[in-house]
Amino acid sequence: MQHLTPDSADLGILIVAHGERGGRFDNARVLELADEVRNNIGNVQVEAGVLKGSPSISDAWTRLKSSHKLIYPFFMSDGYFCNRILPRKLAQEIDHSIDALTMLPPFGVSEWLANCVTSALLQDIEQLGLKGTRPPLLIAAHGASIDKQSSKRTRQLADKLKRTGNFGRISCGFLDEAPHLSDMIGEVLPNTVVLPLFNGLGSHSVDDMAKLAKSAPESCHFVTPVGGQSWVGDIMTADILKALHWWGAAEAAE
């Protein structure tokens, strides 16, 4: 990965996640990703903090000694929570005004996401002995009862996957809005591959998917949740490098 110039040493990145509830409980995944991004980028301070659990947002923010701090939301959608609630919570945690925060687009809207998901699914399909069969795909996502941006982003990803021609029927199901995963899972087509579109290894990606799998046909295959896959740190690095170069260009223009 590209290392930035010494001028970037005064930049810091705060990776923010919700915090795991269930599953591994300990937020180890987001800390692993922060380590990976830090090693990839070089001269930029990188810390991670969570809204629920440890490390806290305020502690992570305090550890960033940089004069300029950018916030990278490790969330799957740019909906109501990420755009409205998250900035307010962050401002409260670090005692800053919302206007003083520089928020980057969240992980789930990365321009590299669809390509990485496609490559990972093709590897999963080969390992399952289904290569060349174009198996059906069910994208399992959170959804929301009051904001449709989460399901909109999920369907946009599904459309990109459809255009690759590598999969059979692609459908989307949600935990918190229709069509509900619990209603769909018992009627999926044989050899359906289920992709959990969650960014951590907590209650949704581990506990909820384990419960869902118990109701699924034996021929249904659950693959690793997106947030637990090996390429996630590379996407985060690319997103952050893009933002840092944008920031550097903006600074130079002033």
PDB file of all heavy atoms in Angstrom, residues 29 57 72 83 126-127 140 146 151 160 184 198 208 229 232 239 253:
ATOM      1  N   ARG A  29     -12.535  -7.195  16.074  1.00  0.00           N
ATOM      2  CA  ARG A  29     -12.434  -7.040  14.617  1.00  0.00           C
ATOM      3  C   ARG A  29     -12.103  -5.611  14.223  1.00  0.00           C
ATOM      4  O   ARG A  29     -11.224  -5.385  13.384  1.00  0.00           O
ATOM      5  CB  ARG A  29     -13.743  -7.493  13.948  1.00  0.00           C
ATOM      6  CG  ARG A  29     -13.744  -7.368  12.428  1.00  0.00           C
ATOM      7  CD  ARG A  29     -12.605  -8.127  11.801  1.00  0.00           C
ATOM      8  NE  ARG A  29     -12.657  -8.093  10.346  1.00  0.00           N
ATOM      9  CZ  ARG A  29     -11.595  -8.282   9.562  1.00  0.00           C
ATOM     10  NH1 ARG A  29     -10.401  -8.519  10.097  1.00  0.00           N
ATOM     11  NH2 ARG A  29     -11.717  -8.241   8.251  1.00  0.00           N
ATOM     12  N   ILE A  57     -15.239   6.066  22.156  1.00  0.00           N
ATOM     13  CA  ILE A  57     -14.939   7.121  21.195  1.00  0.00           C
ATOM     14  C   ILE A  57     -14.036   8.181  21.827  1.00  0.00           C
ATOM     15  O   ILE A  57     -13.046   8.616  21.230  1.00  0.00           O
ATOM     16  CB  ILE A  57     -16.235   7.782  20.688  1.00  0.00           C
ATOM     17  CG1 ILE A  57     -17.154   6.751  20.018  1.00  0.00           C
ATOM     18  CG2 ILE A  57     -15.912   8.936  19.747  1.00  0.00           C
ATOM     19  CD1 ILE A  57     -16.623   6.152  18.764  1.00  0.00           C
ATOM     20  N   TYR A  72     -13.804   8.060  10.035  1.00  0.00           N
ATOM     21  CA  TYR A  72     -14.219   7.052   9.049  1.00  0.00           C
ATOM     22  C   TYR A  72     -15.251   6.127   9.706  1.00  0.00           C
ATOM     23  O   TYR A  72     -14.921   5.326  10.578  1.00  0.00           O
ATOM     24  CB  TYR A  72     -13.014   6.236   8.586  1.00  0.00           C
ATOM     25  CG  TYR A  72     -13.337   5.196   7.538  1.00  0.00           C
ATOM     26  CD1 TYR A  72     -13.396   5.531   6.194  1.00  0.00           C
ATOM     27  CD2 TYR A  72     -13.570   3.867   7.893  1.00  0.00           C
ATOM     28  CE1 TYR A  72     -13.679   4.582   5.224  1.00  0.00           C
ATOM     29  CE2 TYR A  72     -13.857   2.908   6.937  1.00  0.00           C
ATOM     30  CZ  TYR A  72     -13.908   3.276   5.605  1.00  0.00           C
ATOM     31  OH  TYR A  72     -14.200   2.326   4.654  1.00  0.00           O
ATOM     32  N   ASN A  83     -25.889   9.517   9.107  1.00  0.00           N
ATOM     33  CA  ASN A  83     -25.868  10.933   8.727  1.00  0.00           C
ATOM     34  C   ASN A  83     -26.374  11.880   9.809  1.00  0.00           C
ATOM     35  O   ASN A  83     -25.959  13.046   9.845  1.00  0.00           O
ATOM     36  CB  ASN A  83     -26.700  11.145   7.455  1.00  0.00           C
ATOM     37  CG  ASN A  83     -25.999  10.625   6.220  1.00  0.00           C
ATOM     38  OD1 ASN A  83     -24.778  10.465   6.204  1.00  0.00           O
ATOM     39  ND2 ASN A  83     -26.769  10.351   5.181  1.00  0.00           N
ATOM     40  N   GLU A 126     -16.513 -21.599  -5.522  1.00  0.00           N
ATOM     41  CA  GLU A 126     -15.580 -22.656  -5.931  1.00  0.00           C
ATOM     42  C   GLU A 126     -15.308 -23.619  -4.782  1.00  0.00           C
ATOM     43  O   GLU A 126     -15.295 -24.846  -4.970  1.00  0.00           O
ATOM     44  CB  GLU A 126     -14.274 -22.023  -6.419  1.00  0.00           C
ATOM     45  CG  GLU A 126     -13.268 -23.044  -6.937  1.00  0.00           C
ATOM     46  CD  GLU A 126     -12.074 -22.397  -7.609  1.00  0.00           C
ATOM     47  OE1 GLU A 126     -11.993 -21.150  -7.639  1.00  0.00           O
ATOM     48  OE2 GLU A 126     -11.214 -23.141  -8.112  1.00  0.00           O
ATOM     49  N   GLN A 127     -15.108 -23.083  -3.578  1.00  0.00           N
ATOM     50  CA  GLN A 127     -14.839 -23.935  -2.421  1.00  0.00           C
ATOM     51  C   GLN A 127     -16.035 -24.809  -2.066  1.00  0.00           C
ATOM     52  O   GLN A 127     -15.868 -25.913  -1.526  1.00  0.00           O
ATOM     53  CB  GLN A 127     -14.436 -23.065  -1.233  1.00  0.00           C
ATOM     54  CG  GLN A 127     -13.085 -22.382  -1.400  1.00  0.00           C
ATOM     55  CD  GLN A 127     -12.787 -21.379  -0.306  1.00  0.00           C
ATOM     56  OE1 GLN A 127     -13.592 -21.165   0.600  1.00  0.00           O
ATOM     57  NE2 GLN A 127     -11.623 -20.748  -0.382  1.00  0.00           N
ATOM     58  N   ALA A 140     -28.268 -10.889   2.961  1.00  0.00           N
ATOM     59  CA  ALA A 140     -28.929 -10.692   4.252  1.00  0.00           C
ATOM     60  C   ALA A 140     -28.422  -9.398   4.866  1.00  0.00           C
ATOM     61  O   ALA A 140     -27.229  -9.265   5.166  1.00  0.00           O
ATOM     62  CB  ALA A 140     -28.634 -11.871   5.179  1.00  0.00           C
ATOM     63  N   ILE A 146     -37.568   2.979   9.771  1.00  0.00           N
ATOM     64  CA  ILE A 146     -37.908   4.372   9.490  1.00  0.00           C
ATOM     65  C   ILE A 146     -37.092   4.981   8.357  1.00  0.00           C
ATOM     66  O   ILE A 146     -37.424   6.065   7.878  1.00  0.00           O
ATOM     67  CB  ILE A 146     -37.725   5.247  10.746  1.00  0.00           C
ATOM     68  CG1 ILE A 146     -36.269   5.210  11.226  1.00  0.00           C
ATOM     69  CG2 ILE A 146     -38.668   4.803  11.847  1.00  0.00           C
ATOM     70  CD1 ILE A 146     -35.982   6.192  12.350  1.00  0.00           C
ATOM     71  N   SER A 151     -31.716  -0.451   2.960  1.00  0.00           N
ATOM     72  CA  SER A 151     -32.197  -1.409   1.958  1.00  0.00           C
ATOM     73  C   SER A 151     -31.895  -0.917   0.544  1.00  0.00           C
ATOM     74  O   SER A 151     -31.627  -1.716  -0.352  1.00  0.00           O
ATOM     75  CB  SER A 151     -33.696  -1.655   2.134  1.00  0.00           C
ATOM     76  OG  SER A 151     -34.431  -0.447   2.126  1.00  0.00           O
ATOM     77  N   LYS A 160     -25.402  -4.435  -8.894  1.00  0.00           N
ATOM     78  CA  LYS A 160     -24.026  -4.533  -9.394  1.00  0.00           C
ATOM     79  C   LYS A 160     -23.591  -5.987  -9.529  1.00  0.00           C
ATOM     80  O   LYS A 160     -22.913  -6.364 -10.491  1.00  0.00           O
ATOM     81  CB  LYS A 160     -23.079  -3.773  -8.474  1.00  0.00           C
ATOM     82  CG  LYS A 160     -23.274  -2.262  -8.516  1.00  0.00           C
ATOM     83  CD  LYS A 160     -22.358  -1.556  -7.533  1.00  0.00           C
ATOM     84  CE  LYS A 160     -22.578  -0.042  -7.565  1.00  0.00           C
ATOM     85  NZ  LYS A 160     -21.718   0.677  -6.596  1.00  0.00           N
ATOM     86  N   MET A 184     -38.286 -15.516   4.418  1.00  0.00           N
ATOM     87  CA  MET A 184     -37.722 -15.941   3.137  1.00  0.00           C
ATOM     88  C   MET A 184     -36.898 -17.218   3.229  1.00  0.00           C
ATOM     89  O   MET A 184     -36.865 -18.016   2.292  1.00  0.00           O
ATOM     90  CB  MET A 184     -36.829 -14.833   2.554  1.00  0.00           C
ATOM     91  CG  MET A 184     -37.521 -13.517   2.293  1.00  0.00           C
ATOM     92  SD  MET A 184     -36.336 -12.226   1.818  1.00  0.00           S
ATOM     93  CE  MET A 184     -35.763 -12.855   0.228  1.00  0.00           C
ATOM     94  N   PHE A 198     -23.058  -7.496   6.925  1.00  0.00           N
ATOM     95  CA  PHE A 198     -22.869  -6.820   8.206  1.00  0.00           C
ATOM     96  C   PHE A 198     -21.387  -6.543   8.397  1.00  0.00           C
ATOM     97  O   PHE A 198     -20.534  -7.298   7.921  1.00  0.00           O
ATOM     98  CB  PHE A 198     -23.405  -7.675   9.343  1.00  0.00           C
ATOM     99  CG  PHE A 198     -24.857  -8.034   9.189  1.00  0.00           C
ATOM    100  CD1 PHE A 198     -25.235  -9.317   8.839  1.00  0.00           C
ATOM    101  CD2 PHE A 198     -25.843  -7.074   9.371  1.00  0.00           C
ATOM    102  CE1 PHE A 198     -26.571  -9.648   8.670  1.00  0.00           C
ATOM    103  CE2 PHE A 198     -27.189  -7.397   9.209  1.00  0.00           C
ATOM    104  CZ  PHE A 198     -27.553  -8.687   8.854  1.00  0.00           C
ATOM    105  N   ASP A 208     -27.670 -13.706  14.881  1.00  0.00           N
ATOM    106  CA  ASP A 208     -28.868 -13.716  14.038  1.00  0.00           C
ATOM    107  C   ASP A 208     -28.724 -14.665  12.859  1.00  0.00           C
ATOM    108  O   ASP A 208     -29.683 -15.340  12.467  1.00  0.00           O
ATOM    109  CB  ASP A 208     -29.167 -12.302  13.531  1.00  0.00           C
ATOM    110  CG  ASP A 208     -29.677 -11.391  14.631  1.00  0.00           C
ATOM    111  OD1 ASP A 208     -30.121 -11.908  15.668  1.00  0.00           O
ATOM    112  OD2 ASP A 208     -29.627 -10.154  14.455  1.00  0.00           O
ATOM    113  N   GLN A 229     -14.356 -10.532   6.398  1.00  0.00           N
ATOM    114  CA  GLN A 229     -13.581 -11.034   5.271  1.00  0.00           C
ATOM    115  C   GLN A 229     -12.215 -10.354   5.180  1.00  0.00           C
ATOM    116  O   GLN A 229     -12.019  -9.225   5.655  1.00  0.00           O
ATOM    117  CB  GLN A 229     -14.384 -10.885   3.985  1.00  0.00           C
ATOM    118  CG  GLN A 229     -15.674 -11.711   4.036  1.00  0.00           C
ATOM    119  CD  GLN A 229     -16.303 -11.945   2.681  1.00  0.00           C
ATOM    120  OE1 GLN A 229     -15.706 -11.730   1.644  1.00  0.00           O
ATOM    121  NE2 GLN A 229     -17.548 -12.386   2.693  1.00  0.00           N
ATOM    122  N   VAL A 232     -11.327  -6.498   3.765  1.00  0.00           N
ATOM    123  CA  VAL A 232     -11.974  -5.299   4.307  1.00  0.00           C
ATOM    124  C   VAL A 232     -10.955  -4.200   4.611  1.00  0.00           C
ATOM    125  O   VAL A 232     -11.171  -3.019   4.305  1.00  0.00           O
ATOM    126  CB  VAL A 232     -12.787  -5.653   5.562  1.00  0.00           C
ATOM    127  CG1 VAL A 232     -13.277  -4.395   6.273  1.00  0.00           C
ATOM    128  CG2 VAL A 232     -13.967  -6.529   5.184  1.00  0.00           C
ATOM    129  N   ASP A 239     -10.161   3.786   0.789  1.00  0.00           N
ATOM    130  CA  ASP A 239     -11.093   4.880   1.082  1.00  0.00           C
ATOM    131  C   ASP A 239     -10.379   6.021   1.800  1.00  0.00           C
ATOM    132  O   ASP A 239     -10.558   7.205   1.470  1.00  0.00           O
ATOM    133  CB  ASP A 239     -12.234   4.382   1.975  1.00  0.00           C
ATOM    134  CG  ASP A 239     -13.239   3.517   1.234  1.00  0.00           C
ATOM    135  OD1 ASP A 239     -13.283   3.579   0.002  1.00  0.00           O
ATOM    136  OD2 ASP A 239     -13.984   2.785   1.913  1.00  0.00           O
ATOM    137  N   ALA A 253      -4.704  24.171  -1.862  1.00  0.00           N
ATOM    138  CA  ALA A 253      -5.429  25.188  -2.625  1.00  0.00           C
ATOM    139  C   ALA A 253      -5.764  26.423  -1.793  1.00  0.00           C
ATOM    140  O   ALA A 253      -6.103  27.466  -2.342  1.00  0.00           O
ATOM    141  CB  ALA A 253      -6.704  24.580  -3.196  1.00  0.00           C
TER     142      ALA A 253
END
